[in-house]
Amino acid sequence: MSTLIHSPAWLALTAHQAEISQQTMREMFCDDPKRFNKFSLQLDGLLLDYSKNLITAETLELLLNLARQSKLDDWIARMFNGNKINTSEQRAALHTALRAPLNTSVYADGKDVVPDVHRVLDHIRVFSEAVRNNTLCGHTGKPFRDVVNIGIGGSALGPLMISEALKPYGSTQLNVHFVSNVDATDLAETLKRLDPETTLFIISSKTFTTLETLTNAHSARDWLVKHFGADEGVGKHFVAVSTNRAETSKFGIDSENVFEFWDWVGGRYSLWSAIGLPIALYIGMNNFERLLAGAHAMDEHFRKTPLEHNMPVILGMLGVWYANFFGAASYAILPYDQYLQHFPAYLQQLEMESNGKRADRNGQVVDYATGMVIWGEPGTNGQHSFYQLIHQGTRMVPADFLAPVTSHNPLGEHHSILLANCFAQTEALMLGKTSAEARTELELQGLSGEALEALLPYKVFPGNRPTNTLLFDRLDPYTMGMLVALYEHKVLVQSVIWDINAFDQWGVEFGKQLAGKLLPELQKNERVFVHDSSTNGLINHFLARRV
Ligand code: G6Q
């Protein structure tokens, strides 16, 4: 049994939860007109309103006591200082060094990594500018018009999400595409529309051993070679981002076309490194540097701000409050910005791969909940589907609402309508609709007697459903950098409380092994009997019926 759930800070929160469950947020807002001022924070135009949470000043103090008891301050310092906090892989987690300015120093294994980081950034600048201004061209001298990033998981989701989020800053001459799935449909549908002579492939793989990525990379290579009739084009049309130079050269990529990164960068924390090459190609290096600057601003805030005014700390501790003291199992990310359509999927990996763990730092299986299921869709679309459950279902689903003050596409009343929906949703989730209010509403509609009573229970909304709202002036590269770093640090905060390592991913490695073991059986075409009856049955059915 862990000591965490018997610790003073945890027990105090358990007792407090029983008290606060007797109150409603409606009452809390009535009792304190300054609640918004008390429970909101701002950083460089990013506003976090966390007043619509089931908290009082005391809750916050107790949550921060838990953070102090877990020595959160020390862990933050250890991460920034390059200590090997990823203990199961004996690695530092130094994504913050990727956005450190040139005049600073960050040490990994006693070596200042900042000069290396900036050397690679220079490499990205030179390359991306040459492609963007058409001085670096394809095999037949034509400028590149399409960039295809072949990579999966951490080597895809970040660049995909950012390229979509920053589309207004994107090149009008260069399109970016992302191929991840080993399902040939992904590659085939992408290549269908492209011209090999104007297509540049980026093979993004930290290890350069990932089966999906290598399979796609070889098929892309075949597509190109088939067009040119020889291997010669490959050198000009393929670059790689990897830590594994031996494998990139085996694939045939010249060493000057390999963009380096380091084992202290975790896949899902890597969009700031050369893994961000498609981003730099698409939005230009100056904008990529604004993205890094935004993330660095959030790093400085996280590192230097007292816990009670610290955005990632507040966001992280609120998540702990609901996961561990209210039994919330899932958490919704609801951006009111179409450009953020991939943000929920990106955070799904960031949070679930980081904190979806059951063994603590001492190898003990924990007896408390850890990472929640992260999911979501842009508003207002989600309002017409799953919000029903958030409003009236039996489960608590805390949610983050995100919205820009100013749209990149000012069109009639669209943005006011969008934001009216966003604000109205969090208000309704907080207030709910009492039986008395629902009754009055029905009466006004002319209902009475049995008909009214029959309908009444369905018209009641319990309210008291917690939300955070993140408002930012405009979705620009700097803001995007701040937002992503905010969630990265939220993940660290929660991992510290749960005493787990947020930076390994043995579940993902397990998946990589499993498919590799079974593949030869599908290639042999002989009935198999070595698995359980279900797996045997599925394989044999597939073998018998495939055409
Ligand atoms: C991320 C994970 C995982 C990884 C992919 C791709 O943190 O480790 O999503 O990024 O499995 O790995 P490679 O970059 O090595 O191909």
Side-chain angles (χ1 to χ4, degrees), residues 89 150-157 204-214 241-243 261 265-270 275 349-350 353-354 502-505 508-509 512:
E89 294 182 305
I150 296 183
I152 197 164
S155 298
L157 285 165
S204 270
S205 177
K206 182 173 168 178
T207 55
F208 225 80
T209 55
T210 306
L211 185 60
E212 290 92 328
T213 299
L214 289 182
V241 182
S242 186
T243 57
F261 71 121
V265 186
R268 57 198 173 277
Y269 296 87
S270 66
I275 291 288
Q349 179 189 29
L350 180 66
E353 197 172 332
S354 298
F503 302 105
D504 60 8
Q505 56 282 314
V508 175
E509 313 299 340
K512 290 185 182 182

Coordinates of all heavy atoms in Angstrom, one line a residue, residues 89 150-157 204-214 241-243 261 265-270 275 349-350 353-354 502-505 508-509 512, ligand 1:
E89 N 14.7 4.7 -18.2 CA 15.5 4.8 -19.4 C 16.8 5.5 -19.1 O 17.6 5.7 -20.1 CB 14.8 5.4 -20.5 CG 13.5 4.7 -21.0 CD 12.8 5.3 -22.2 OE1 12.5 6.5 -22.1 OE2 12.6 4.6 -23.2
I150 N 6.9 11.5 -43.0 CA 6.6 10.1 -42.7 C 7.1 9.8 -41.3 O 8.3 9.9 -41.0 CB 7.2 9.1 -43.7 CG1 6.6 9.4 -45.1 CG2 7.0 7.7 -43.3 CD1 7.0 8.5 -46.2
G151 N 6.2 9.6 -40.4 CA 6.5 9.4 -39.0 C 5.3 9.1 -38.2 O 4.2 9.3 -38.8
I152 N 5.4 8.6 -37.0 CA 4.2 8.2 -36.3 C 4.3 8.6 -34.8 O 5.5 8.8 -34.3 CB 3.9 6.7 -36.4 CG1 2.5 6.3 -36.0 CG2 5.0 5.8 -35.7 CD1 2.1 4.9 -36.5
G153 N 3.2 8.7 -34.1 CA 3.2 9.1 -32.7 C 3.9 10.4 -32.5 O 3.6 11.4 -33.1
G154 N 4.9 10.4 -31.6 CA 5.6 11.7 -31.3 C 6.3 12.2 -32.5 O 6.6 13.4 -32.5
S155 N 6.6 11.4 -33.5 CA 7.2 12.0 -34.7 C 6.2 12.4 -35.7 O 6.6 12.6 -36.9 CB 8.2 10.9 -35.3 OG 9.1 10.6 -34.3
A156 N 5.0 12.6 -35.3 CA 4.0 13.1 -36.3 C 3.0 14.0 -35.7 O 2.6 15.1 -36.2 CB 3.3 11.9 -36.9
L157 N 2.5 13.6 -34.5 CA 1.3 14.4 -34.0 C 1.5 15.8 -33.7 O 0.7 16.7 -33.9 CB 0.8 13.6 -32.7 CG 0.0 12.4 -32.9 CD1 -0.1 11.5 -31.7 CD2 -1.4 12.6 -33.5
S204 N 10.8 10.9 -40.4 CA 11.0 11.3 -39.0 C 10.9 10.2 -38.1 O 9.8 9.6 -37.9 CB 9.9 12.3 -38.6 OG 10.3 13.6 -38.9
S205 N 12.0 9.8 -37.5 CA 11.9 8.7 -36.5 C 13.1 8.7 -35.6 O 14.3 8.7 -36.1 CB 11.9 7.3 -37.3 OG 12.0 6.2 -36.4
K206 N 12.8 8.9 -34.3 CA 13.9 9.0 -33.4 C 14.8 7.8 -33.5 O 16.1 7.9 -33.6 CB 13.3 9.2 -32.0 CG 14.4 9.3 -30.9 CD 13.6 9.7 -29.6 CE 14.5 9.5 -28.4 NZ 13.9 9.9 -27.1
T207 N 14.2 6.6 -33.5 CA 15.0 5.4 -33.5 C 15.3 4.9 -34.9 O 16.3 4.1 -35.0 CB 14.1 4.3 -32.8 OG1 12.9 4.2 -33.5 CG2 13.9 4.5 -31.3
F208 N 14.6 5.3 -35.8 CA 14.7 4.8 -37.2 C 14.5 3.3 -37.3 O 15.1 2.6 -38.2 CB 16.0 5.2 -37.9 CG 15.7 5.8 -39.3 CD1 15.3 7.0 -39.5 CD2 16.0 4.9 -40.4 CE1 15.0 7.5 -40.8 CE2 15.7 5.4 -41.7 CZ 15.3 6.7 -41.9
T209 N 13.8 2.7 -36.4 CA 13.5 1.3 -36.4 C 12.0 1.0 -36.4 O 11.6 -0.1 -36.4 CB 14.1 0.6 -35.2 OG1 13.6 1.2 -34.0 CG2 15.6 0.6 -35.2
T210 N 11.2 2.1 -36.3 CA 9.7 1.9 -36.2 C 9.1 1.3 -37.5 O 9.3 1.9 -38.6 CB 9.1 3.2 -35.8 OG1 9.7 3.7 -34.7 CG2 7.6 3.1 -35.5
L211 N 8.5 0.1 -37.3 CA 8.0 -0.6 -38.5 C 7.1 0.2 -39.4 O 7.3 0.1 -40.6 CB 7.3 -1.9 -37.9 CG 6.8 -2.9 -39.0 CD1 8.0 -3.5 -39.8 CD2 6.1 -4.1 -38.3
E212 N 6.2 0.9 -38.8 CA 5.2 1.6 -39.7 C 6.0 2.7 -40.5 O 5.8 2.8 -41.7 CB 4.2 2.4 -38.8 CG 3.2 1.6 -38.0 CD 3.7 1.2 -36.7 OE1 4.9 1.0 -36.4 OE2 2.8 1.0 -35.8
T213 N 6.9 3.4 -39.9 CA 7.6 4.5 -40.5 C 8.5 3.9 -41.6 O 8.5 4.4 -42.7 CB 8.4 5.3 -39.5 OG1 7.4 5.9 -38.6 CG2 9.1 6.4 -40.1
L214 N 9.2 2.8 -41.3 CA 10.1 2.3 -42.3 C 9.4 1.7 -43.5 O 9.8 1.8 -44.6 CB 11.1 1.3 -41.6 CG 12.1 2.0 -40.7 CD1 13.0 1.0 -40.1 CD2 12.9 3.0 -41.4
V241 N 15.0 12.8 -40.0 CA 15.2 13.4 -38.6 C 15.3 12.2 -37.7 O 14.4 11.4 -37.6 CB 14.0 14.3 -38.2 CG1 14.3 14.9 -36.8 CG2 13.7 15.4 -39.2
S242 N 16.5 12.1 -37.1 CA 16.7 10.8 -36.3 C 17.9 11.0 -35.4 O 18.8 11.8 -35.6 CB 16.9 9.7 -37.3 OG 17.0 8.5 -36.5
T243 N 17.9 10.1 -34.4 CA 19.1 10.0 -33.5 C 20.0 8.8 -34.0 O 21.1 8.6 -33.5 CB 18.8 9.7 -32.1 OG1 18.0 8.5 -32.0 CG2 18.0 10.9 -31.4
F261 N 18.7 14.9 -33.5 CA 18.3 15.3 -32.1 C 18.8 14.2 -31.2 O 19.6 13.4 -31.5 CB 16.8 15.6 -32.1 CG 15.8 14.5 -32.2 CD1 14.9 14.2 -31.2 CD2 15.7 13.7 -33.4 CE1 13.9 13.2 -31.3 CE2 14.8 12.7 -33.5 CZ 13.9 12.5 -32.5
V265 N 15.4 14.0 -25.6 CA 14.1 14.5 -26.1 C 13.1 13.3 -26.3 O 13.3 12.5 -27.1 CB 14.3 15.2 -27.5 CG1 13.0 15.8 -27.9 CG2 15.4 16.2 -27.5
G266 N 12.1 13.3 -25.5 CA 11.1 12.3 -25.6 C 10.2 12.5 -26.9 O 10.0 13.7 -27.3
G267 N 9.8 11.5 -27.6 CA 9.0 11.6 -28.8 C 7.9 12.6 -28.7 O 7.8 13.5 -29.5
R268 N 7.1 12.5 -27.7 CA 5.9 13.3 -27.6 C 6.2 14.7 -27.1 O 5.4 15.6 -27.0 CB 4.8 12.7 -26.7 CG 5.3 12.3 -25.3 CD 4.4 11.3 -24.6 NE 4.9 10.8 -23.4 CZ 5.8 9.9 -23.2 NH1 6.3 9.3 -24.3 NH2 6.2 9.5 -22.0
Y269 N 7.5 15.0 -26.8 CA 8.0 16.3 -26.4 C 8.9 16.9 -27.4 O 9.7 17.8 -27.2 CB 8.7 16.2 -25.0 CG 7.9 15.7 -23.9 CD1 7.7 14.4 -23.6 CD2 7.2 16.6 -23.1 CE1 6.9 13.9 -22.6 CE2 6.4 16.2 -22.0 CZ 6.2 14.9 -21.8 OH 5.4 14.4 -20.8
S270 N 8.8 16.4 -28.7 CA 9.9 16.6 -29.6 C 9.6 17.7 -30.7 O 10.4 17.9 -31.6 CB 10.4 15.3 -30.3 OG 9.4 14.8 -31.1
I275 N 12.3 17.5 -35.2 CA 11.0 16.8 -35.6 C 10.1 17.9 -36.1 O 9.1 17.7 -36.8 CB 10.5 16.1 -34.3 CG1 11.3 14.8 -34.0 CG2 9.0 15.7 -34.5 CD1 11.2 13.7 -35.0
Q349 N -2.1 12.0 -26.6 CA -0.8 11.3 -26.5 C 0.0 11.9 -25.4 O 0.6 11.1 -24.6 CB 0.0 11.4 -27.8 CG 1.3 10.7 -27.6 CD 2.4 10.9 -28.7 OE1 2.4 11.9 -29.4 NE2 3.2 9.9 -28.9
L350 N 0.1 13.2 -25.4 CA 1.0 13.8 -24.4 C 0.6 13.4 -23.0 O 1.5 12.9 -22.2 CB 0.9 15.4 -24.5 CG 1.7 16.2 -23.5 CD1 3.2 16.0 -23.7 CD2 1.4 17.6 -23.5
E353 N 0.1 9.0 -22.7 CA 1.3 8.2 -22.8 C 2.3 8.6 -21.7 O 3.1 7.8 -21.2 CB 2.0 8.5 -24.2 CG 3.1 7.5 -24.5 CD 3.6 7.6 -26.0 OE1 2.9 8.1 -26.8 OE2 4.8 7.3 -26.2
S354 N 2.2 9.8 -21.2 CA 3.0 10.2 -20.1 C 2.6 9.7 -18.7 O 3.3 9.2 -17.9 CB 3.1 11.8 -20.1 OG 3.7 12.2 -21.2
A502 N 6.9 10.3 -16.0 CA 6.1 10.7 -17.2 C 6.8 10.6 -18.5 O 6.3 10.9 -19.6 CB 5.7 12.2 -17.0
F503 N 8.0 10.1 -18.5 CA 8.9 10.2 -19.7 C 9.2 8.9 -20.3 O 9.9 8.9 -21.3 CB 10.1 11.1 -19.4 CG 9.7 12.5 -18.9 CD1 9.8 12.8 -17.6 CD2 9.1 13.4 -19.8 CE1 9.4 14.0 -17.1 CE2 8.7 14.6 -19.3 CZ 8.9 15.0 -18.0
D504 N 8.8 7.8 -19.8 CA 9.0 6.5 -20.5 C 7.7 6.1 -21.1 O 6.7 6.8 -21.0 CB 9.6 5.4 -19.6 CG 8.7 5.1 -18.4 OD1 7.5 5.6 -18.3 OD2 9.1 4.4 -17.5
Q505 N 7.7 5.0 -21.8 CA 6.5 4.6 -22.6 C 6.5 3.1 -22.9 O 6.6 2.7 -24.0 CB 6.3 5.4 -23.9 CG 7.4 5.4 -24.9 CD 8.5 6.3 -24.5 OE1 8.3 7.5 -24.1 NE2 9.8 5.9 -24.5
V508 N 4.0 1.5 -25.2 CA 4.2 1.7 -26.7 C 5.2 0.7 -27.2 O 5.0 0.1 -28.2 CB 4.6 3.2 -27.0 CG1 4.9 3.4 -28.4 CG2 3.5 4.1 -26.5
E509 N 6.3 0.5 -26.4 CA 7.3 -0.4 -26.8 C 6.7 -1.8 -26.9 O 7.1 -2.6 -27.8 CB 8.5 -0.4 -25.8 CG 9.0 0.9 -25.3 CD 9.6 1.8 -26.4 OE1 9.9 1.3 -27.5 OE2 9.7 3.0 -26.2
K512 N 5.1 -2.3 -30.1 CA 6.0 -2.5 -31.3 C 6.5 -3.9 -31.3 O 6.7 -4.5 -32.4 CB 7.2 -1.5 -31.1 CG 6.8 0.0 -31.3 CD 8.0 0.9 -31.2 CE 7.6 2.4 -31.4 NZ 8.7 3.3 -31.4
Ligands
G6Q1 C1 6.4 9.2 -28.0 C2 6.5 7.7 -28.2 C3 6.0 7.3 -29.5 C4 7.1 7.5 -30.6 C5 6.7 6.7 -31.8 C6 7.7 6.9 -33.0 O1 6.7 9.7 -26.9 O2 7.7 7.2 -27.8 O3 4.8 7.9 -29.9 O4 7.3 8.8 -30.9 O5 6.6 5.3 -31.5 O6 8.9 6.5 -32.6 P1 10.2 6.8 -33.5 O7 10.3 8.3 -33.6 O8 11.4 6.2 -32.9 O9 9.9 6.3 -34.9

